[in-house]
Amino acid sequence: MSLLRHKLAATVLLASTAIAGAHAATLDDPNIWLEDVASPRAMNWVNAHNATTTQRLEADPRYKTLYDQALAVAANKDRIPAPTFTHGQIFNFWQDADHLRGIWRKTTLASYRTAHPQWSTVLDIDALGKAENKSWVLRGRNCLEPDENRCLISLSNGGEDAVEVREFDLARQLFVPDGFHLPRGKHKIAWEDANHLLIATDWTPGDVTPSGYPFIVKRLTRGQSLDQAVEIYRGDKNDGGYGVAPAVLQDGQGRQLAIIVRPLDTFRHQTFVITPKGVQRLAIPDKVDVADLVDNRVILSLDEPWKGHPAGALVAVNRDALLADPQNLDPKPVWAPGPQDAMDSHTSTRNNVLLATLHNVQGRATVLKPQLHDQWRTQTLPLPDNLAISWGSTDVKSDRAFLGASGFLTPSTLYLSDTAKGTLEPVKTLPAQFDATQDIVEQFEATSTDGTKIPYFIVHRKDIRYDGQTPTLMTAYGGFEVSETPYYSATIGKLWLERGGAFVLANIRGGGEFGPKWHDAGLTTRRQVIYDDFAAVAKDLDARKITSPRRLGIEGGSNGGLLMGVEFTEHPELWNAVVIQVPLLDMIRIAKIAAGASWQGEYGDVNADPAVMAFWQKTSPYQNLKADVKYPEPFIFTTTKDDRVGPQHARKFAARMEEMKLPFYYYENTEGGHGSGADLKQSARTQALTMTYLQEKLMN
């Protein structure tokens, strides 16, 4: 037999073994019944465990104080109201003790600059829910540029990702009778003009990918029913990622570019442009994004090298040339990262591109101004070091933009920038939410198993004793190229730091702190380095005698919840408290649960790749719990309405611990979606339960 035939035979054998393994895992799983999210049997199990957990934790004398403080923080009216340039005014979505689900309100820019802006309510979500007997949560507003007098309002029942969409008239402040309306679904919508929408949705039952996302785009004309919409693009039912999505970009001069993005998996996608000749594919690599349109230049963000430009860079292509020939593109440089640089985010004003970048995880704000002959002038705005920088809302009619800056101990400051002039004006500063006078922030590095240096931040009392006894809470995310940067958290400050705890943020691989390469290092079967990085930081804290396993707790959600699950099973000796929030935990059945199939670009496909199956069989937390191991007692939290990750992972993990007679706390909020709660009181309760657990484990 030839070498090639040997390899082919081995591949077939491995694939067969993987399929058999997946099938066996399903047959051997006694907790499949908990995947039926709303079944009476499953909900009885949830309610019983909720009662046990809340009875235990709420009996702690600290709980009531922690709840009151968490609610006071969340409902604090001294918070900076996040501003949005809309329809010539400043809009804000606001929640407090009187508006648990929130109000959408507006004021003038001049009034917003004052200490006490005069707001007027545009839409009251609490009142709407009460009138319609629905648990409405506002999930988004999409306003028609440039006038922004009509908006599409997305309403979620209980906080799930699926939404109902209604057209709203900003001038009249009411929903448009017989306006655009879409029933509940995971819709992707773009305004093409005042009378046309580009929509991707489940047009008929079954018109979704394995992840539950749409793959067909249609054009809906005002006055038409949904079944009259005209199809303009069709992907494939087996597409990965988050579903096909239309978008319409517009520059400050009113020029437009309509595109359709077809995801192949979590990170790879094809991009199509809508031209007078129809929908045509754009000749760009699968990990290059159409990011913006400024000064008739199409801005492209590179997650892989392309035509001599490095991964992590921005390039530009002339819009007219692109529309004339989408297959023959000549990208020109806009911005490229240095060795320790990474782009955190980007946006634009009427004439400029705005970047928030990281230099060794330190924030920078940069304005890129288009010049003649495909050139760009770069200006870095004068901001303090050691802060996280983020651009907020930008004005499509001017070069004004809001910008936020904050640090672990530095309350957020909101600036208004005239990016044409490069000026910054402080508009609002958050009053201190906790006493930070005794605290400091330090940045250290740990050495991972392969020698890579892993930076991390630690916030602690100036006078701590280096005896390993400082209660320490550590977190990270480690996935999807998401960068973790310093942030001001009143909850962590008030409920943890003020009580003498230390807080650690680890910049492990899988994130984007050092660009695409930092993320790619931990993809699919290379993922163990992410978990090794996190453990290395814990060991470094122990070596420095800042804390010790007895006093170290860890917390993470979603992909960070998977991180917590792996650390729980791989290194139970390193921590005494583990908070696992809205997690992924069953990585063998991930594609069968909620939107799990959409993340196969991040985690790999256990059903198609034997190497991926082999990796997760030895790493997946649910499959790797062992009855004879001494684990810390975890706090497992999820929500019934989470239709993204799904509560099934958390339920099954807890049920397996129960089978093995291992101790745990389990709490499932019946609302809230992929988060801590659908309103402020629900979120405050979740935070208070979590902090009570952490203080019991680490401060007693």
Side-chain angles (χ1 to χ4, degrees):
M1 184 182 288
S2 69
L3 178 61
L4 176 60
R5 290 177 65 193
H6 273 297
K7 288 181 177 178
L8 289 173
T11 300
V12 170
L13 178 60
L14 284 169
S16 300
T17 303
I19 293 169
H23 184 61
T26 299
L27 292 177
D28 295 341
D29 188 349
N31 300 310
I32 289 287
W33 61 276
L34 284 167
E35 292 186 12
D36 187 355
V37 174
S39 73
R41 182 186 177 194
M43 290 310 300
N44 286 338
W45 182 92
V46 167
N47 292 333
H49 284 285
N50 279 355
T52 299
T53 292
T54 55
Q55 182 178 9
R56 288 178 63 192
L57 291 176
E58 290 179 3
D60 188 303
R62 287 169 288 206
Y63 172 80
K64 179 62 166 59
T65 299
L66 290 168
Y67 173 79
D68 290 342
Q69 289 179 332
L71 183 59
V73 165
N76 183 3
K77 296 188 178 183
D78 285 339
R79 303 187 326 268
I80 296 176
T84 303
F85 290 105
T86 303
H87 195 47
Q89 294 185 294
I90 300 298
F91 278 64
N92 163 256
F93 182 68
W94 182 258
Q95 293 173 283
D96 59 26
D98 300 320
H99 309 94
L100 294 176
R101 295 301 172 97
I103 53 174
W104 195 30
R105 58 187 189 172
K106 67 178 181 178
T107 189
T108 65
L109 179 57
S111 180
Y112 183 78
R113 291 174 188 262
T114 67
H116 303 287
Q118 299 301 304
W119 296 100
S120 63
T121 298
V122 176
L123 179 62
D124 186 327
I125 303 301
D126 294 271
L128 180 68
K130 184 176 181 180
E132 299 184 355
N133 196 29
K134 293 278 191 177
S135 181
W136 286 134
V137 175
L138 184 63
R139 275 289 184 239
R141 293 86 69 196
N142 181 350
C143 299
L144 173 65
E145 295 182 357
D147 295 334
E148 301 175 309
N149 57 343
R150 293 290 179 95
C151 299
L152 300 173
I153 304 296
S154 295
L155 297 167
S156 162
N157 190 12
E160 60 186 2
D161 282 0
V163 295
E164 177 181 327
V165 179
R166 305 177 187 177
E167 185 178 4
F168 191 82
D169 186 325
L170 276 189
R172 300 169 63 194
Q173 297 186 187
L174 50 78
F175 290 108
V176 179
D178 300 321
F180 288 119
H181 176 261
L182 276 73
R184 178 187 176 277
K186 290 186 176 181
H187 314 299
K188 308 290 181 67
I189 308 174
W191 287 96
E192 192 171 33
D193 57 41
N195 294 309
H196 297 90
L197 300 180
L198 302 177
I199 303 172
T201 192
D202 51 337
W203 296 99
T204 60
D207 278 349
V208 292
T209 67
S211 307
Y213 291 106
F215 64 93
I216 300 168
V217 179
K218 296 185 180 184
R219 177 182 286 113
L220 180 67
T221 301
R222 186 177 295 280
Q224 287 182 331
S225 60
L226 286 177
D227 60 2
Q228 294 174 308
V230 177
E231 182 175 322
I232 62 170
Y233 177 78
R234 177 179 291 257
D236 188 274
K237 187 176 177 64
N238 294 314
D239 284 345
Y242 307 115
V244 65
V248 178
L249 308 178
Q250 182 169 287
D251 71 7
Q253 294 71 42
R255 292 174 288 240
Q256 289 188 338
L257 182 73
I259 62 171
I260 295 172
V261 178
R262 175 203 178 191
L264 304 176
D265 60 30
T266 317
F267 304 106
R268 297 183 309 115
H269 52 269
Q270 297 172 347
T271 304
F272 298 80
V273 60
I274 302 175
T275 75
K277 298 177 182 179
V279 177
Q280 300 184 51
R281 178 145 177 215
L282 201 56
I284 58 177
D286 291 346
K287 294 181 75 174
V288 171
D289 292 316
V290 175
D292 219 321
L293 180 63
V294 176
D295 191 42
N296 207 39
R297 306 181 202 196
V298 181
I299 310 300
L300 303 169
S301 177
L302 278 54
D303 254 11
E304 63 178 290
W306 181 43
K307 293 191 174 184
H309 303 282
L314 288 181
V315 298
V317 175
N318 179 270
R319 168 186 166 275
D320 297 336
L322 180 149
L323 288 172
D325 187 358
Q327 293 298 306
N328 185 22
L329 304 179
D330 182 21
K332 303 296 183 183
V334 177
W335 179 85
Q340 289 189 295
D341 294 333
M343 188 189 312
D344 195 29
S345 64
H346 52 77
T347 186
S348 65
T349 59
R350 177 180 173 86
N351 297 300
N352 300 321
V353 173
L354 312 180
L355 303 184
T357 62
L358 300 174
H359 179 74
N360 196 28
V361 205
Q362 309 289 330
R364 301 285 186 271
T366 302
V367 179
L368 303 174
K369 302 179 180 183
Q371 309 293 302
L372 297 175
H373 309 300
D374 298 316
Q375 300 298 306
W376 294 79
R377 182 160 63 89
T378 300
Q379 181 179 16
T380 300
L381 298 183
L383 288 161
D385 291 329
N386 301 319
L387 297 180
I389 305 299
S390 60
W391 290 102
S393 179
T394 62
D395 189 0
V396 297
K397 299 178 180 65
S398 75
D399 285 314
R400 294 176 300 187
F402 287 106
L403 181 145
S406 68
F408 291 117
L409 304 178
T410 306
S412 303
T413 294
L414 181 72
Y415 297 88
L416 180 61
S417 175
D418 183 336
T419 65
K421 300 176 182 177
T423 59
L424 277 174
E425 172 199 350
V427 178
K428 295 185 184 295
T429 298
L430 181 71
Q433 303 295 291
F434 62 94
D435 181 5
T437 57
Q438 303 303 312
D439 297 318
I440 61 170
V441 179
E442 296 184 286
Q443 187 180 31
F444 297 125
E445 286 183 336
T447 303
S448 193
T449 49
D450 62 357
T452 301
K453 299 297 184 182
I454 309 301
Y456 66 92
F457 294 97
I458 177 167
V459 189
H460 62 82
R461 288 286 181 94
K462 299 172 185 176
D463 60 353
I464 64 168
R465 298 175 62 183
Y466 290 89
D467 58 2
Q469 294 303 304
T470 300
T472 301
L473 175 60
M474 176 177 162
T475 190
Y477 188 73
F480 295 88
E481 207 172 332
V482 173
S483 299
E484 291 286 289
T485 57
Y487 57 92
Y488 190 79
S489 170
T491 301
I492 292 172
K494 194 71 181 173
L495 280 62
W496 186 252
L497 295 177
E498 277 194 0
R499 287 169 168 78
F503 178 74
V504 175
L505 178 65
N507 301 115
I508 61 179
R509 280 173 286 187
E513 288 89 342
F514 296 98
K517 66 181 183 298
W518 199 246
H519 171 237
D520 293 347
L523 278 178
T524 62
T525 56
R526 301 191 293 274
R527 202 161 195 84
Q528 187 59 44
V529 300
I530 294 171
Y531 308 130
D532 291 347
D533 291 355
F534 192 81
V537 173
K539 293 173 183 177
D540 195 69
L541 290 166
D542 189 22
R544 294 178 188 273
K545 297 191 180 302
I546 293 171
T547 192
S548 61
R550 167 65 183 87
R551 299 296 180 186
L552 180 57
I554 57 177
E555 178 179 25
S558 193
N559 172 73
L562 170 61
L563 171 65
M564 297 304 110
V566 174
E567 299 298 343
F568 181 83
T569 54
E570 288 191 353
H571 294 288
E573 78 285 359
L574 289 181
W575 0 84
N576 198 42
V578 181
V579 180
I580 305 172
Q581 299 170 326
V582 289
L584 293 160
L585 294 169
D586 183 351
M587 300 304 288
I588 303 302
R589 282 185 57 80
I590 180 175
K592 311 292 186 186
I593 298 173
S598 64
W599 307 312
Q600 288 171 339
E602 178 79 15
Y603 303 120
D605 186 347
V606 297
N607 299 302
D609 189 331
V612 173
M613 172 61 79
F615 173 78
W616 285 116
Q617 281 179 328
K618 68 178 183 181
T619 311
S620 176
Y622 180 61
Q623 281 74 23
N624 284 279
L625 279 168
K626 295 178 174 61
D628 57 350
V629 172
K630 181 175 174 54
Y631 296 107
E633 185 178 27
F635 181 93
I636 305 163
F637 166 76
T638 189
T639 76
T640 309
K641 286 285 191 176
D642 184 355
D643 55 345
R644 189 181 312 173
V645 164
Q648 296 95 323
H649 293 272
R651 290 177 179 181
K652 291 169 61 180
F653 190 79
R656 179 150 292 179
M657 292 193 73
E658 191 172 24
E659 293 163 8
M660 296 178 177
K661 296 181 170 43
L662 297 168
F664 63 90
Y665 288 92
Y666 181 89
Y667 181 65
E668 180 174 321
N669 190 22
T670 55
E671 292 191 310
H674 191 54
S676 60
D679 62 40
L680 298 184
K681 288 185 176 179
Q682 291 179 16
S683 296
R685 189 182 195 200
T686 301
Q687 291 163 354
L689 291 170
T690 303
M691 280 296 175
T692 301
Y693 160 81
L694 287 168
Q695 291 181 29
E696 281 188 357
K697 295 298 182 183
L698 305 178
M699 291 183 174
N700 282 356

